[in-house]
């Protein structure tokens, strides 16, 4: 039995299609990683940043970014906290979380690991002056 050029092309197409399908992910979803950033000894809590929740922006009055964390105690999820950081013009950085009273915000401390992680991921510079972050 002799193969014609048309049959050879058809076989090559089928083989290419099968190989292409084999290279696609097997229905597995790629998930964003939770990144460990701190351990709060006083509360026995490990803090994991949910990397895929990072969002940021700039306006005429300043910069902002938001990121969520998982608070884990003894290997169990205690709560999810969303941190909203903002900087008004030349003022120091401040934050507010979804667990705080919405009528005020708090000044960022130099040791804030969630803040440092977010700023490093975005690539924004910041400066520590005495006890404040600018």
């Amino acid at each position: 039995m002799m193969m014609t050029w048309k049959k050879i092309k058809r076989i090559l197409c089928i083989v290419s299609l099968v190989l292409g399908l084999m290279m696609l992910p097997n229905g597995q979803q790629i998930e964003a990683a939770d990144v460990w950033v701190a351990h709060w000894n006083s509360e026995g809590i490990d803090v994991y940043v949910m990397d895929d929740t990072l969002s940021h922006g700039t306006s005429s009055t300043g910069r902002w970014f938001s990121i969520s964390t998982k608070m884990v105690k003894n290997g169990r999820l205690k709560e999810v906290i969303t941190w909203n950081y903002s900087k008004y013009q030349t003022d120091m950085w401040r934050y507010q979380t979804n667990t705080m009273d919405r009528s005020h915000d708090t000044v960022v401390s130099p040791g804030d690991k969630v803040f440092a992680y977010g700023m490093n991921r975005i690539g924004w510079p910041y400066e520590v002056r005495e006890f404040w972050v600018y």
Side-chain angles (χ1 to χ4, degrees):
M1 178 169 123
M2 192 164 151
M3 287 193 159
T4 64
W5 179 242
K6 191 174 183 178
K7 286 183 181 180
I8 293 172
K9 281 177 46 177
R10 183 176 288 159
I11 290 171
L12 286 175
C13 284
I14 292 171
V15 169
S16 296
L17 180 62
V18 169
L19 287 174
L21 290 173
M22 289 173 49
M23 298 186 111
L24 289 175
N26 297 329
Q28 298 172 348
Q29 292 182 350
I30 298 173
E31 295 182 23
D34 295 337
V35 180
W36 180 86
V37 292
H39 178 76
W40 295 350
N41 286 328
S42 61
E43 299 176 46
I45 291 178
D46 285 302
V47 182
Y48 293 86
V49 169
M50 298 164 61
D51 191 57
D52 62 332
T53 65
L54 178 63
S55 61
H56 59 89
T58 303
S59 69
S60 60
T61 58
R63 294 178 171 185
W64 64 270
F65 75 91
S66 176
I67 195 163
S68 295
T69 57
K70 290 180 180 176
M71 314 309 270
V72 177
K73 186 171 185 172
N74 299 325
R76 294 180 184 253
L77 179 64
K78 184 176 176 188
E79 65 183 326
V80 173
I81 297 179
T82 300
W83 304 76
N84 299 299
Y85 293 93
S86 60
K87 178 176 175 39
Y88 178 76
Q89 295 180 354
T90 60
D91 197 12
M92 60 197 85
W93 278 95
R94 299 175 179 276
Y95 73 90
Q96 188 178 73
T97 72
N98 61 320
T99 61
M100 294 170 59
D101 176 4
R102 301 264 182 204
S103 65
H104 75 283
D105 52 26
T106 302
V107 175
V108 173
S109 67
D112 186 330
K113 305 285 190 202
V114 175
F115 173 81
Y117 178 86
M119 291 294 277
N120 290 334
R121 286 285 287 152
I122 297 167
W124 287 344
Y126 63 94
E127 177 184 346
V128 175
R129 294 186 217 151
E130 297 179 18
F131 304 104
W132 318 116
V133 180
Y134 291 88

